[in-house]
Amino acid sequence: MSSFSGKPTSELGIETLSNGLRNLFPIYKDEKNGVTLNKPDFRELEAASPTTTTTSSSSSGSVGPNPRKPHSTRSGELSVESSPLRPGHTRSRSCGSHHLIFSGSVSSPPPATVAPTGNICPSGRISKTGLPGRVSKPEVLGSGSGRYGHGSIMRGGDGGAPRGLIVGGGGVRSGVDPEELKRLGNDCYKNAQFSEALSLYDRAIAISPANAAYRFNRAAALMGLRRLLEAVRECEAAIRLDPAYVKAHHRLGSLLLSLGQVESAREHICFPGHQPDPVEMHKLQLVEKHLGKCGEARRIGDWRGTLSEVDAAIAAGADASPQLFACRAEALLKLHQLDDAFSAQSNIRMFEASVSLSPSLKIFGMLVEAYLFFVRAQVELAKGRYDSALTAIEKAGKIDPHNAETSKLLNTVRLVCRARARGNDLFKSERFTEACSAYGEGLRLDPSNSVLCCNRAACWFKLGQWERSVDDCNQALRIQPNYLKALLRRALSNSKLERWSEAVRDYEVLRRELPDDNEVAESLFHAQVALKKSLGEDVYNVKFGGDVESVSGLEQFRAAISSSGASVVHFRSGTNLQCKHISLFVDALCSRYPSINFLQVDIEEGHAIAHAENVRIVPTFKIYKKGSRVKEMICPSPEVLESSVRHYSI
């Protein structure tokens, strides 16, 4: 992209926003903090505003863009002028002398030997009240380099101080040069300090609100902070100030494309009279192509095709589009990938405010705002949040009352909510057969509702129809594989059917997911014992839970570790302080993992056991299964010990 003046520019260019905005800026390593950050291309910042025009009139001088040449000075170079003037001040070049003009009145220059109090010299230094015949080093304001902060007063040299800065008891006053603030903002931007850069650009805008370049750079800082909607507003403000600001149009087009607003993006990417950026144009065409294919796949119910095309559109550049994330969530729901659907739904909230940019925007023939609520209703229904689902679809109906899809889903959600409420009431009244019918009515309306499947399974279980209970649990788990309530109900039903292998498998999954649930632990233990008995194994001296058992004899020890299940043995010494501390934790583990057989051996009393097991350091823990050692830990931390106990409890 060429600059307005033909010189290399320093504006922030149109950055690629694809891949979830992670490629917005090049990546660099922050050695100080040891993290990877997004580093902006600072060469693309607007480093100079339009140069100020100087008039020869004594009272009407102004600082601002030249209305006859709105772009001729955006060259990327700071203008070479004498020291900047405060707003409202103009230099008169009459008589070849430098008189300062204040509100139309001319003041004569002070004597050469005395500097007027508080005046800003042409060099940019701040002079103190002068004393005749005395020469002192000037005091200047620091720019934040070296050991001096912004606004610090330094003695001698200009130190790169911002010209025209004045410091008083209340901080920096109105004499600040906005160009210097912008330069400092650009420096912060280079170092990915976007919040600091934003603050400096804000101060520059407060001084010179009509400067389009400041708005343009502020948009860049907002993009760095991922505040895309605000960045759009800033680009629009820059364009209002300078309608022919091509780079602002291009950046705005790129932002709108990222937000999925393709038609609006085209208006700015293809700005009349200027060649569109080829990269952005290619992205625009790709997004349009994939959106078209996505709509067609959704229309015919091809949800895999819908998911593929919406993912392609997001990857092509519409990576901050709430409507595309909503479409992705909807497709995942239809494919029974509920966890992924819930995750996709959570991404919508980050960008849904952008809908306000274009309230008439549609997707799949539905207003975008209504579509977001339409998908949210489906997600809430799948989660079993019936009231939230009804609220969401009613909002969608109010926003787009004439859309057929919205009206159909609204009717379905109302009927499903009614069927579920009726089923719950009947179940509480122990009218299980009628409750089955009520839940079945809801499933006819919404066959993919895992909650209704699980509720009906509970009814079948109460009626003693465990096979049908297993079938409904299987259906619920096909829809939502991590549905723990359905998994528990299936394990209970399989136990009733004496299908111990299937019951143990489900209980083992539940034990991993619910490690602190003693009921699950006990159910698993009894299912394991029943499975061993069904396989003809000898099961004796088996108990669930209890206290840590002390063992001192070698034969007693060998018999204990040969019992069914896992045994954890704590080799300890009564005089060892570390053993005493860890013993308290072992007591807690004994209660937490009742299916484990916990033993303790005092090496002074059970010297033969310690010798046979080659224990020389305490505390030592060994885990046995069927008499064989499977794990040994010497002086483990509580976390390591519990991790091992948990592993062998399953």
Side-chain angles (χ1 to χ4, degrees):
M1 190 187 304
S2 61
S3 68
F4 295 108
S5 64
K7 299 180 183 179
T9 67
S10 296
E11 291 176 309
L12 188 66
I14 310 303
E15 302 288 280
T16 302
L17 292 170
S18 60
N19 299 321
L21 292 174
R22 287 191 296 272
N23 297 326
L24 183 61
F25 304 115
I27 303 299
Y28 80 110
K29 189 76 173 179
D30 183 343
E31 299 294 344
K32 179 179 179 181
N33 297 310
V35 295
T36 302
L37 299 172
N38 288 327
K39 185 175 181 180
D41 185 357
F42 60 85
R43 295 170 301 175
E44 296 291 337
L45 279 172
E46 183 77 89
S49 301
T51 56
T52 58
T53 57
T54 306
T55 69
S56 58
S57 65
S58 62
S59 61
S60 60
S62 63
V63 179
N66 187 335
R68 293 188 297 272
K69 296 181 179 180
H71 313 299
S72 61
T73 57
R74 233 178 243 117
S75 65
E77 300 173 359
L78 291 172
S79 58
V80 182
E81 297 272 349
S82 58
S83 60
L85 301 175
R86 284 183 275 179
H89 298 175
T90 312
R91 289 201 191 281
S92 170
R93 304 195 183 279
S94 60
C95 304
S97 61
H98 294 279
H99 297 280
L100 290 178
I101 303 174
F102 300 91
S103 304
S105 62
V106 181
S107 65
S108 300
T113 57
V114 181
T117 303
N119 232 16
I120 305 173
C121 298
S123 65
R125 301 185 176 117
I126 303 174
S127 298
K128 299 192 300 182
T129 303
L131 297 175
R134 181 174 177 178
V135 178
S136 62
K137 291 184 179 180
E139 291 177 342
V140 297
L141 291 173
S143 61
S145 59
R147 289 176 296 217
Y148 297 92
H150 295 304
S152 299
I153 298 179
M154 302 184 297
R155 188 172 294 281
D158 60 13
R163 294 181 177 182
L165 262 66
I166 299 176
V167 175
V172 180
R173 295 203 299 266
S174 60
V176 178
D177 179 5
E179 283 296 303
E180 183 63 16
L181 289 171
K182 185 183 68 175
R183 185 189 69 77
L184 294 172
N186 292 357
D187 289 342
C188 290
Y189 186 88
K190 293 180 200 177
N191 297 315
Q193 297 172 333
F194 303 121
S195 295
E196 292 83 352
L198 184 64
S199 177
L200 288 161
Y201 295 143
D202 284 341
R203 290 170 62 190
I205 291 170
I207 296 169
S208 183
N211 190 304
Y214 299 165
R215 297 283 185 177
F216 185 81
N217 284 12
R218 188 175 192 274
L222 289 166
M223 289 168 70
L225 293 169
R226 309 292 176 87
R227 291 158 59 178
L228 301 189
L229 180 58
E230 294 173 75
V232 168
R233 300 295 191 199
E234 285 305 305
C235 286
E236 291 174 339
I239 291 170
R240 281 195 298 272
L241 291 169
D242 187 351
Y245 199 165
V246 176
K247 289 191 176 182
H249 279 285
H250 285 177
R251 171 163 294 135
L252 179 55
S254 180
L255 282 164
L256 292 172
L257 181 61
S258 180
L259 294 168
Q261 302 190 16
V262 177
E263 291 306 317
S264 298
R266 180 184 295 279
E267 294 177 10
H268 295 281
I269 291 173
C270 303
F271 184 57
H274 292 83
Q275 189 70 21
D277 182 282
V279 173
E280 293 302 313
M281 194 63 198
H282 180 64
K283 284 166 56 179
L284 177 67
Q285 292 168 345
L286 277 178
V287 171
E288 277 189 314
K289 181 183 78 172
H290 291 303
L291 277 179
K293 290 183 177 180
C294 175
E296 179 59 25
R298 183 182 181 276
R299 187 184 64 80
I300 63 175
D302 176 10
W303 294 107
R304 291 197 181 280
T306 302
L307 181 61
S308 175
E309 292 300 331
V310 76
D311 281 345
I314 290 170
D319 48 11
S321 170
Q323 61 267 36
L324 293 191
F325 282 121
C327 178
R328 192 171 192 278
E330 184 183 28
L332 289 165
L333 273 179
K334 301 296 185 182
L335 294 170
H336 300 161
Q337 299 178 33
L338 266 65
D339 288 341
D340 292 334
F342 299 157
S343 177
Q345 172 69 18
S346 67
N347 288 331
I348 299 172
R349 299 184 184 278
M350 295 189 293
F351 306 110
E352 63 185 354
S354 65
V355 174
S356 62
L357 294 170
S358 184
S360 60
L361 182 68
K362 289 190 174 185
I363 184 170
F364 312 134
M366 191 185 307
L367 289 172
V368 165
E369 188 179 4
Y371 181 64
L372 299 186
F373 284 112
F374 177 82
V375 173
R376 184 183 299 177
Q378 296 177 70
V379 170
E380 295 297 332
L381 197 62
K383 288 181 176 180
R385 299 174 180 171
Y386 294 89
D387 292 340
S388 297
L390 186 58
T391 299
I393 193 59
E394 285 176 343
K395 287 182 179 178
K398 289 178 181 177
I399 294 167
D400 199 349
H402 304 297
N403 184 269
E405 277 192 275
T406 302
S407 300
K408 181 180 178 181
L409 183 60
L410 176 58
N411 185 55
T412 298
V413 171
R414 283 173 174 166
L415 291 174
V416 169
C417 288
R418 191 177 304 162
R420 173 252 184 182
R422 182 168 175 269
N424 288 356
D425 289 340
L426 290 167
F427 187 90
K428 291 174 185 177
S429 301
E430 299 186 358
R431 297 159 64 182
F432 301 120
T433 301
E434 294 172 79
C436 275
S437 299
Y439 291 134
E441 181 62 30
L443 284 168
R444 279 189 286 276
L445 296 164
D446 185 14
S448 297
N449 194 302
S450 59
V451 176
L452 293 180
C453 285
C454 191
N455 284 4
R456 191 170 66 176
C459 294
W460 295 130
F461 185 89
K462 291 290 187 180
L463 292 168
Q465 299 189 40
W466 300 307
E467 192 72 61
R468 300 183 77 169
S469 178
V470 168
D471 290 342
D472 270 350
C473 288
N474 287 338
Q475 176 63 14
L477 289 164
R478 275 192 291 271
I479 299 168
Q480 190 174 350
N482 297 324
Y483 195 177
L484 296 183
K485 187 177 287 187
L487 196 66
L488 177 60
R489 195 150 283 151
R490 187 172 70 178
L492 289 168
S493 298
N494 278 321
S495 295
K496 291 290 186 180
L497 293 166
E498 297 187 356
R499 296 173 180 169
W500 300 115
S501 179
E502 289 87 343
V504 166
R505 184 176 62 245
D506 286 345
Y507 280 128
E508 285 177 341
V509 174
L510 289 163
R511 189 79 178 99
R512 286 194 293 269
E513 296 295 327
L514 305 168
D516 297 325
D517 192 315
N518 283 341
E519 288 187 18
V520 169
E522 186 171 1
S523 297
L524 172 60
F525 175 78
H526 291 306
Q528 288 171 331
V529 171
L531 177 60
K532 291 177 187 295
K533 287 181 178 179
S534 70
L535 296 174
E537 296 184 21
D538 291 331
V539 180
Y540 62 92
N541 193 28
V542 176
K543 67 181 188 307
F544 177 77
D547 298 325
V548 179
E549 181 182 355
S550 294
V551 179
S552 57
L554 186 57
E555 291 303 318
Q556 180 191 10
F557 172 77
R558 287 174 177 167
I561 63 174
S562 299
S563 63
S564 178
S567 297
V568 175
V569 183
H570 175 203
F571 293 89
R572 64 188 297 275
S573 170
T575 59
N576 185 283
L577 187 60
Q578 189 175 358
C579 289
K580 290 180 179 179
H581 288 161
I582 199 73
S583 292
L584 297 174
F585 186 67
V586 173
D587 290 339
L589 292 179
C590 186
S591 299
R592 201 174 300 164
Y593 299 94
S595 62
I596 296 287
N597 185 29
F598 285 89
L599 309 171
Q600 65 180 12
V601 176
D602 190 302
I603 60 172
E604 281 85 12
E605 296 177 6
H607 178 71
I609 301 174
H611 179 73
E613 295 299 314
N614 195 28
V615 175
R616 298 180 180 180
I617 301 173
V618 292
T620 290
F621 287 86
K622 296 190 180 188
I623 301 178
Y624 301 84
K625 293 196 84 169
K626 296 181 180 179
S628 299
R629 186 177 68 246
V630 294
K631 179 87 172 179
E632 180 174 354
M633 295 165 283
I634 298 174
C635 302
S637 67
E639 292 78 16
V640 170
L641 178 59
E642 182 169 12
S643 176
S644 298
V645 170
R646 184 186 304 116
H647 176 75
Y648 288 103
S649 70
I650 299 171

